[in-house]
Coordinates of all heavy atoms in Angstrom, one line a residue:
I1 N 126.5 145.2 115.5 CA 127.8 145.9 115.5 C 128.8 145.3 116.4 O 130.0 145.3 116.2 CB 127.5 147.4 115.7 CG1 128.8 148.2 115.4 CG2 127.1 147.7 117.2 CD1 128.6 149.8 115.4
S2 N 128.4 144.7 117.6 CA 129.2 144.2 118.5 C 130.0 143.0 117.9 O 131.2 142.7 118.3 CB 128.5 143.7 119.7 OG 127.6 142.8 119.5
D3 N 129.4 142.3 117.0 CA 130.1 141.2 116.3 C 131.1 141.7 115.4 O 132.2 141.0 115.2 CB 129.1 140.3 115.7 CG 128.2 139.5 116.7 OD1 128.7 139.3 117.9 OD2 127.1 139.2 116.4
A4 N 130.8 142.7 114.7 CA 131.8 143.3 113.8 C 133.0 143.8 114.6 O 134.2 143.7 114.1 CB 131.2 144.5 112.9
K5 N 132.7 144.4 115.7 CA 133.9 144.8 116.6 C 134.7 143.6 117.1 O 135.9 143.7 117.1 CB 133.2 145.6 117.8 CG 134.2 146.2 118.7 CD 133.6 147.0 119.8 CE 134.7 147.6 120.7 NZ 134.1 148.3 121.8
W6 N 134.0 142.5 117.4 CA 134.7 141.3 117.8 C 135.5 140.8 116.7 O 136.8 140.4 116.9 CB 133.7 140.2 118.1 CG 134.2 138.9 118.2 CD1 134.9 138.3 119.2 CD2 134.2 137.9 117.1 NE1 135.4 137.0 118.8 CE2 134.9 136.8 117.5 CE3 133.6 137.9 115.8 CZ2 135.0 135.6 116.7 CZ3 133.8 136.8 115.0 CH2 134.5 135.7 115.5
W7 N 135.1 140.9 115.4 CA 135.8 140.4 114.2 C 137.1 141.2 114.1 O 138.1 140.7 113.7 CB 135.0 140.6 113.0 CG 135.7 140.2 111.7 CD1 136.2 141.1 110.8 CD2 136.1 138.9 111.3 NE1 136.8 140.4 109.8 CE2 136.7 139.0 110.0 CE3 135.8 137.6 111.8 CZ2 137.2 138.0 109.3 CZ3 136.3 136.6 111.1 CH2 137.0 136.7 109.9
L8 N 137.1 142.5 114.4 CA 138.3 143.3 114.3 C 139.2 143.1 115.3 O 140.3 143.7 115.4 CB 137.9 144.9 114.3 CG 137.1 145.2 113.0 CD1 136.6 146.5 113.1 CD2 137.9 145.0 111.7
S9 N 138.9 142.4 116.4 CA 139.8 142.0 117.5 C 140.7 140.9 117.2 O 141.6 140.5 117.9 CB 139.1 141.7 118.9 OG 138.4 140.4 118.7
H10 N 140.6 140.2 116.0 CA 141.4 139.1 115.6 C 142.9 139.6 115.3 O 143.1 140.7 115.0 CB 140.9 138.5 114.3 CG 139.7 137.6 114.6 ND1 138.4 138.1 114.8 CD2 139.6 136.3 114.7 CE1 137.6 137.1 115.0 NE2 138.3 135.9 115.0
D11 N 143.8 138.7 115.5 CA 145.2 139.0 115.4 C 145.5 139.7 114.0 O 146.5 140.6 113.9 CB 146.0 137.8 115.4 CG 146.1 137.2 116.8 OD1 145.8 138.0 117.8 OD2 146.5 136.0 117.1
R12 N 144.8 139.3 112.9 CA 145.2 140.0 111.6 C 145.0 141.5 111.7 O 145.5 142.2 110.7 CB 144.3 139.3 110.6 CG 142.9 139.8 110.5 CD 142.1 139.4 109.4 NE 141.6 138.0 109.5 CZ 140.8 137.4 108.7 NH1 140.5 137.9 107.6 NH2 140.5 136.1 108.9
Y13 N 144.3 142.0 112.6 CA 144.0 143.4 112.6 C 144.7 144.2 113.7 O 144.6 145.3 113.9 CB 142.6 143.7 112.8 CG 141.6 143.2 111.6 CD1 140.8 142.1 111.8 CD2 141.8 143.8 110.4 CE1 140.1 141.7 110.7 CE2 141.0 143.4 109.3 CZ 140.2 142.3 109.5 OH 139.5 141.8 108.4
I14 N 145.6 143.4 114.5 CA 146.1 144.0 115.7 C 147.0 145.2 115.5 O 147.1 146.1 116.4 CB 146.9 142.8 116.5 CG1 147.1 143.2 118.0 CG2 148.2 142.5 115.9 CD1 147.3 142.1 118.9
H15 N 147.7 145.3 114.5 CA 148.6 146.4 114.2 C 148.0 147.4 113.1 O 148.8 148.1 112.4 CB 150.0 145.9 113.8 CG 150.7 145.2 114.8 ND1 151.0 145.7 116.1 CD2 151.0 143.8 115.0 CE1 151.6 144.9 116.9 NE2 151.6 143.7 116.2
R16 N 146.7 147.3 112.9 CA 146.1 148.1 111.8 C 145.0 149.0 112.5 O 144.4 148.6 113.5 CB 145.4 147.2 110.8 CG 146.5 146.4 110.1 CD 145.9 145.4 109.1 NE 145.7 146.2 107.8 CZ 145.4 145.6 106.7 NH1 145.1 144.4 106.7 NH2 145.3 146.3 105.6
T17 N 144.8 150.1 111.9 CA 143.7 151.0 112.2 C 142.4 150.4 111.5 O 142.5 150.1 110.3 CB 143.9 152.4 111.8 OG1 145.1 152.9 112.4 CG2 142.7 153.3 112.2
T18 N 141.4 150.2 112.3 CA 140.2 149.5 111.7 C 138.9 150.4 111.8 O 139.0 151.5 112.5 CB 139.9 148.2 112.4 OG1 139.7 148.4 113.7 CG2 141.0 147.3 112.1
A19 N 137.9 150.0 111.1 CA 136.6 150.8 111.1 C 135.5 149.8 110.9 O 135.7 148.7 110.5 CB 136.6 151.8 110.0
I20 N 134.3 150.3 111.2 CA 133.1 149.5 110.9 C 132.2 150.3 110.0 O 131.9 151.5 110.3 CB 132.4 149.1 112.2 CG1 133.3 148.2 113.1 CG2 131.1 148.4 111.9 CD1 132.7 147.9 114.5
L21 N 131.7 149.6 109.0 CA 130.8 150.2 108.0 C 129.4 149.6 108.3 O 129.3 148.4 108.7 CB 131.2 149.9 106.6 CG 132.5 150.5 106.1 CD1 132.7 150.0 104.6 CD2 132.6 152.0 106.2
R22 N 128.4 150.4 108.2 CA 127.1 150.0 108.3 C 126.4 150.2 106.9 O 126.6 151.2 106.3 CB 126.2 150.8 109.3 CG 124.8 150.2 109.4 CD 124.0 151.0 110.4 NE 123.6 152.3 109.6 CZ 122.9 153.2 110.2 NH1 122.5 153.2 111.5 NH2 122.5 154.3 109.6
A23 N 125.7 149.1 106.4 CA 125.0 149.2 105.1 C 123.6 148.7 105.3 O 123.3 147.9 106.1 CB 125.7 148.4 104.1
L24 N 122.7 149.4 104.5 CA 121.3 149.0 104.4 C 121.3 147.8 103.4 O 121.8 148.0 102.3 CB 120.4 150.1 104.0 CG 119.0 149.7 104.0 CD1 118.4 149.3 105.3 CD2 118.2 150.9 103.4
L25 N 120.8 146.7 103.8 CA 120.6 145.5 102.9 C 119.1 145.4 102.6 O 118.3 145.2 103.5 CB 121.2 144.3 103.5 CG 122.6 144.4 104.2 CD1 122.9 143.0 104.8 CD2 123.5 144.8 103.1
T26 N 118.7 145.5 101.4 CA 117.3 145.5 100.9 C 117.1 144.3 100.0 O 117.9 144.3 98.9 CB 117.0 146.8 100.2 OG1 117.2 147.8 101.2 CG2 115.5 146.8 99.9
Y27 N 116.3 143.3 100.2 CA 116.2 142.2 99.4 C 114.8 141.6 99.5 O 114.0 141.9 100.5 CB 117.2 141.1 99.9 CG 117.1 140.8 101.3 CD1 116.2 139.8 101.8 CD2 117.8 141.5 102.3 CE1 116.2 139.4 103.2 CE2 117.7 141.2 103.6 CZ 116.9 140.2 104.0 OH 116.8 139.9 105.4
T28 N 114.3 140.8 98.5 CA 113.0 140.1 98.6 C 113.3 138.7 99.3 O 114.4 138.2 99.3 CB 112.5 139.9 97.2 OG1 113.3 139.0 96.5 CG2 112.4 141.3 96.5
S29 N 112.2 138.1 99.6 CA 112.3 136.8 100.2 C 112.9 135.8 99.2 O 113.6 134.8 99.6 CB 110.9 136.3 100.6 OG 110.4 137.1 101.7
E30 N 112.7 136.0 97.9 CA 113.1 135.1 96.9 C 114.7 135.2 96.8 O 115.3 134.2 96.3 CB 112.5 135.4 95.6 CG 111.1 135.0 95.5 CD 110.1 136.1 96.1 OE1 110.5 137.3 96.1 OE2 109.1 135.7 96.5
Q31 N 115.2 136.2 97.3 CA 116.7 136.5 97.2 C 117.4 135.9 98.3 O 118.7 135.8 98.4 CB 117.0 138.0 97.0 CG 116.6 138.6 95.7 CD 116.9 140.1 95.7 OE1 116.3 140.8 96.4 NE2 117.9 140.5 94.8
L32 N 116.7 135.5 99.4 CA 117.3 135.1 100.6 C 117.3 133.6 100.7 O 116.3 132.9 100.6 CB 116.4 135.7 101.8 CG 116.8 135.2 103.2 CD1 118.3 135.6 103.5 CD2 115.8 135.7 104.2
L33 N 118.5 133.1 101.1 CA 118.6 131.7 101.6 C 119.0 131.8 103.0 O 120.1 132.2 103.4 CB 119.7 131.0 100.7 CG 120.0 129.5 101.2 CD1 118.7 128.7 101.1 CD2 121.1 129.0 100.4
D34 N 118.0 131.5 103.9 CA 118.1 131.6 105.3 C 118.4 130.3 106.0 O 117.5 129.5 106.1 CB 116.8 132.2 105.9 CG 116.9 132.5 107.5 OD1 118.0 132.1 108.0 OD2 115.9 132.9 108.0
L35 N 119.7 130.1 106.3 CA 120.1 128.8 106.7 C 119.8 128.6 108.2 O 120.2 127.5 108.8 CB 121.6 128.5 106.4 CG 121.9 128.4 105.0 CD1 123.5 128.2 104.7 CD2 121.1 127.3 104.3
D36 N 119.2 129.6 108.9 CA 118.7 129.4 110.2 C 117.4 128.6 110.2 O 117.0 128.0 111.2 CB 118.5 130.7 111.0 CG 119.8 131.5 111.4 OD1 120.8 130.7 111.5 OD2 119.8 132.7 111.4
D37 N 116.8 128.6 109.1 CA 115.5 127.8 108.8 C 115.9 126.4 108.5 O 116.6 126.1 107.5 CB 114.8 128.5 107.7 CG 113.4 127.8 107.4 OD1 113.2 126.6 107.8 OD2 112.6 128.4 106.7
P38 N 115.5 125.4 109.4 CA 115.8 124.0 109.1 C 115.4 123.6 107.8 O 116.1 122.7 107.2 CB 115.1 123.3 110.2 CG 114.8 124.3 111.3 CD 114.7 125.6 110.6
A39 N 114.3 124.0 107.3 CA 113.7 123.6 105.9 C 114.7 124.1 104.9 O 115.0 123.4 103.9 CB 112.4 124.1 105.7
E40 N 115.3 125.2 105.0 CA 116.3 125.8 104.0 C 117.6 125.0 104.1 O 118.2 124.8 103.1 CB 116.5 127.3 104.2 CG 115.2 128.2 103.9 CD 115.0 128.2 102.5 OE1 115.7 128.8 101.7 OE2 114.0 127.6 102.0
R41 N 118.0 124.6 105.2 CA 119.3 123.9 105.3 C 119.1 122.6 104.7 O 119.9 122.1 104.0 CB 119.7 123.7 106.8 CG 120.3 124.9 107.4 CD 121.0 124.6 108.8 NE 120.2 123.8 109.7 CZ 119.4 124.4 110.6 NH1 119.2 125.7 110.5 NH2 118.7 123.5 111.4
E42 N 117.9 121.9 104.9 CA 117.6 120.7 104.4 C 117.5 120.8 102.8 O 118.0 119.9 102.1 CB 116.2 120.1 104.9 CG 115.9 118.7 104.4 CD 116.8 117.6 104.7 OE1 117.6 117.7 105.7 OE2 116.8 116.5 104.1
R43 N 116.9 121.8 102.4 CA 116.8 122.1 100.9 C 118.2 122.2 100.3 O 118.5 121.6 99.2 CB 116.1 123.3 100.6 CG 115.9 123.7 99.2 CD 114.9 124.9 99.0 NE 115.6 126.1 99.3 CZ 116.0 127.0 98.3 NH1 115.7 126.9 97.1 NH2 116.5 128.1 98.7
L44 N 119.1 122.8 100.9 CA 120.5 123.0 100.5 C 121.2 121.6 100.5 O 121.9 121.3 99.6 CB 121.2 124.0 101.3 CG 122.6 124.4 100.8 CD1 122.6 125.0 99.4 CD2 123.3 125.4 101.7
E45 N 121.0 120.8 101.5 CA 121.6 119.5 101.6 C 121.1 118.6 100.5 O 121.9 118.0 99.8 CB 121.3 118.9 102.9 CG 122.0 117.6 103.2 CD 123.3 117.7 103.8 OE1 123.6 118.8 104.5 OE2 124.1 116.8 103.7
I46 N 119.8 118.6 100.2 CA 119.2 117.9 99.1 C 119.7 118.3 97.8 O 120.1 117.5 96.9 CB 117.7 117.9 99.2 CG1 117.1 117.1 100.4 CG2 117.1 117.4 97.9 CD1 115.7 117.4 100.8

């Protein structure tokens, strides 16, 4: 949530009322491409 709050500190939002939504994200491993994983980044590059 702190990163969403940081995002809203950008100039594009300076004169706007803002909010943060929280959502539950439910997915299988097959639906995920995790680019923090070096093997997945390499797979995408290939």
Side-chain angles (χ1 to χ4, degrees):
I1 194 171
S2 58
D3 293 331
K5 185 176 178 181
W6 163 82
W7 177 254
L8 293 173
S9 72
H10 283 78
D11 287 344
R12 74 172 79 176
Y13 298 110
I14 200 157
H15 297 294
R16 298 179 86 172
T17 303
T18 58
I20 296 176
L21 297 177
R22 183 183 79 182
L24 181 64
L25 309 177
T26 305
Y27 55 92
T28 65
S29 294
E30 292 79 26
Q31 291 176 295
L32 174 65
L33 177 58
D34 183 357
L35 295 178
D36 287 336
D37 180 341
E40 292 292 291
R41 283 194 312 276
E42 182 65 19
R43 180 174 78 107
L44 189 57
E45 186 84 26
I46 290 168

